[in-house]
Each structure stands twice: as structure tokens, then as C-alpha cells.
Amino acid sequence: MRRTGPDGDGVRERLGKSLLARVAGPEGPRNRALIHDTPGPRWFGAERPIRTVHGDASMFIGGISALLLQSLHPLAMAAVSAHSGFRGDPWGRLQRTSTFLAMTTYGPATGAQEACDRVRAVHARVRGVTAEGKPYRAADPHLFGWVHIAEVDSFLRAHQRYGAHPLTGDEYDGYVADTARVARALGVLDPPANRTELAAQLTAYRRELRATPEARGAARFLLLNPPLPPAARLPYSVLAANAVSLLPPWAAAELRLPRLPLLDTVAVRPLGRGVTSVVRWAMAPAHRAQGLSS
């Protein structure tokens, strides 16, 4: 998408800054300096697939879809519902997650490890009992494993459908291997290292997954009642519809989310590509100005 002239450039700059402020939060400038200006080795070089995926606007759709998919593990959803405060501070949670992804993807190795250590420390304190009386621990490696593979699968699905540069087969495997580096630092015991292992682990978890009332409530919040200004609701609804479209059919059915194949083909996906292109167009100059380009 191209817009030239001072008016177009002004719209682009304002939109890009607004999006970055939402995603990065008030600490964004300081965090960007820590991530990009701190010298030292990185976990991932500029050529790695993880940078291609995490630097693309398709992450907006992939992130929503990942939250929906992750909610289908009853123990994970119980922990989120009781301890995360996502309803009261959804933007804060988004900003913390985006900062973690940026640090582990682009930041110095010491900062990436410290970010993982902080997440592990927070999760070590999260434990409780579900409404059905089942105990859970957020630091359980098996539970952490589900959260990881649901995220990886969702980000990949989004990138392959909406990304500016879809990955080749080898790059696809490379992305899964890259994310395994982060997963091991978070305490996941046996993260998948390629597409075949990712698919096998998703299948293995399937028998544990179902939509609880908490999961369906979270889906309603994410899809129908996000705390957004009126001007942002229409583009967000397009992103949300595409996040649902991205889910495996069984997952959408569990959450009782409608799927209309014809509407999906002729309207939902084209609109999703359009909105993603606008986001990419708007954020590109801001990314370059802040040193965020991958």
C-alpha cells in the first residue's frame, strides 16, 4: 500500500505512533533502547526466521488467535482467569507480552535470559484449584508446553496466511527451532524443533482440551467487548474475525464460534489481508525510526 505526499505521510505517522503506543506502552522508548542499543551477542541473528515472523503485522491476528487456542486447556484458563487480570488491564498484558517477545527475539542474550527468568518467577507463584477441584501450577512444564505450542502454531498460521513474506519449508522448521530456544529457557522440557514435532504435540494435547465457561467468557471479551475507542472497533473486528478463521475447526467449535466457509473465503480473509497491509504500511516508518525493523 502506497500513500505519497505530506497528508498521506502525516496519516501514516500518526497511525504508526498510535499503534506502537498501544503495543509498547509508556515504557516503550526505554525498552526499545534496552533491546536494540545494548551491545552484546543475541540469541538470534538477523537472518533467523523468528525475526521475520515476530516483526510482521500478521502478529496482530496471530496473537488473538493464540489466546483463543490457549484458553482451551482448562488448567491454563483457570490460571489466567484467577491470576492474570487480563480483563482489568488487557493493554498492560499485551504490552508486557510484546516486550517479552521483542527482548527474546531482538535483544541481547543477557536481557533475553533475564526476561525468561522473570516470567518463570511470576509463574512459580501462580497456583490454585479449578472450579472442578483440580489443582494447577502455572509453572508446570507440561502446562507451559501447551501455552508454547499453541502460540507457535498460531503465529505460524497467521504469518503463512497474512505475512508479507511467508516462510519456506526450511524456514518454517527454523522458526519452530528458534522458538524452542526460548521455550527451554522458560522451563518447557521438550519443545518441538520442527513442523512434524509441532503437529505431533498438538495432537497429543488434544484429549486434554475443552472449552470451559471461563474460556468462552474470555472469547466473548476478546472478540466482542475489547476496551477500544470507537474508531478502532471496526478494524479490530476484522482482525478478530480472522483470528477465529485461523483456528483449527475443532477449536472454533469448542468455543462455539461461528465458521461460514463461503463468507470466510469471499470476505473475512480478504479484509484481514487488507487491514494487515494497512497496519504494516503504518508501522514501517515508526519501526525504522525506533530501530525495530527485523
Side-chain angles (χ1 to χ4, degrees):
M1 179 175 182
R2 294 182 181 273
R3 292 284 299 277
T4 58
D7 291 342
D9 290 341
V11 170
R12 183 176 184 169
E13 182 179 2
R14 288 193 298 273
L15 180 56
K17 287 183 176 179
S18 176
L19 287 167
L20 275 174
R22 283 287 187 181
V23 172
E27 294 296 311
R30 185 182 72 86
N31 289 331
R32 282 191 289 273
L34 287 172
I35 291 166
H36 297 283
D37 298 341
T38 303
R42 265 64 179 161
W43 280 356
F44 308 107
E47 79 288 353
R48 294 306 303 168
I50 194 170
R51 290 197 171 205
T52 301
V53 175
H54 292 178
D56 191 83
S58 60
M59 289 285 285
F60 282 82
I61 293 175
I64 300 170
S65 195
L67 292 173
L68 293 170
L69 186 59
Q70 289 167 343
S71 76
L72 288 172
H73 197 296
L75 300 184
M77 189 62 235
V80 168
S81 182
H83 299 276
S84 78
F86 74 95
R87 291 179 187 271
D89 185 25
W91 292 112
R93 187 165 191 253
L94 170 65
Q95 290 154 11
R96 290 188 293 274
T97 300
S98 67
T99 300
F100 173 83
L101 287 171
M103 179 61 80
T104 53
T105 303
Y106 307 107
T110 53
Q113 184 62 57
E114 288 169 1
C116 291
D117 292 344
R118 284 194 296 271
V119 170
R120 293 187 71 167
V122 169
H123 282 76
R125 300 191 294 268
V126 175
R127 59 184 64 211
V129 179
T130 70
E132 298 171 340
K134 294 183 178 179
Y136 63 79
R137 294 184 303 111
D140 177 2
H142 181 73
L143 201 55
F144 235 144
W146 164 248
V147 172
H148 170 69
I149 65 171
E151 182 176 273
V152 170
D153 184 64
S154 299
F155 289 172
L156 274 172
R157 285 174 181 265
H159 189 81
Q160 295 306 89
R161 185 178 295 181
Y162 306 102
H165 303 288
L167 305 181
T168 65
D170 288 344
E171 289 170 337
Y172 199 119
D173 284 340
Y175 175 77
V176 180
D178 287 348
T179 61
R181 170 72 180 87
V182 181
R184 284 190 291 272
L186 287 170
V188 179
L189 297 180
D190 188 26
N194 53 53
R195 287 173 293 175
T196 301
E197 293 179 6
L198 176 62
Q201 289 197 19
L202 286 165
T203 299
Y205 274 96
R206 176 68 184 89
R207 61 185 176 81
E208 302 175 32
L209 308 178
R210 59 184 177 83
T212 60
E214 291 85 356
R216 294 193 178 105
R220 286 193 298 272
F221 177 78
L222 282 170
L223 301 176
L224 301 177
N225 301 303
L228 291 168
R233 287 190 172 272
L234 180 57
Y236 180 86
S237 68
V238 172
L239 297 176
N242 279 272
V244 173
S245 169
L246 206 62
L247 287 170
W250 63 264
E254 277 285 340
L255 290 167
R256 300 176 185 169
L257 300 174
R259 295 280 291 267
L260 301 174
L262 180 59
L263 182 64
D264 184 72
T265 300
V266 303
V268 173
R269 294 191 192 189
L271 284 170
R273 294 188 185 98
V275 171
T276 305
S277 295
V278 170
V279 171
R280 187 178 297 117
W281 166 81
M283 294 189 73
H287 273 64
R288 287 195 293 270
Q290 299 293 345
L292 290 175
S293 59
S294 60

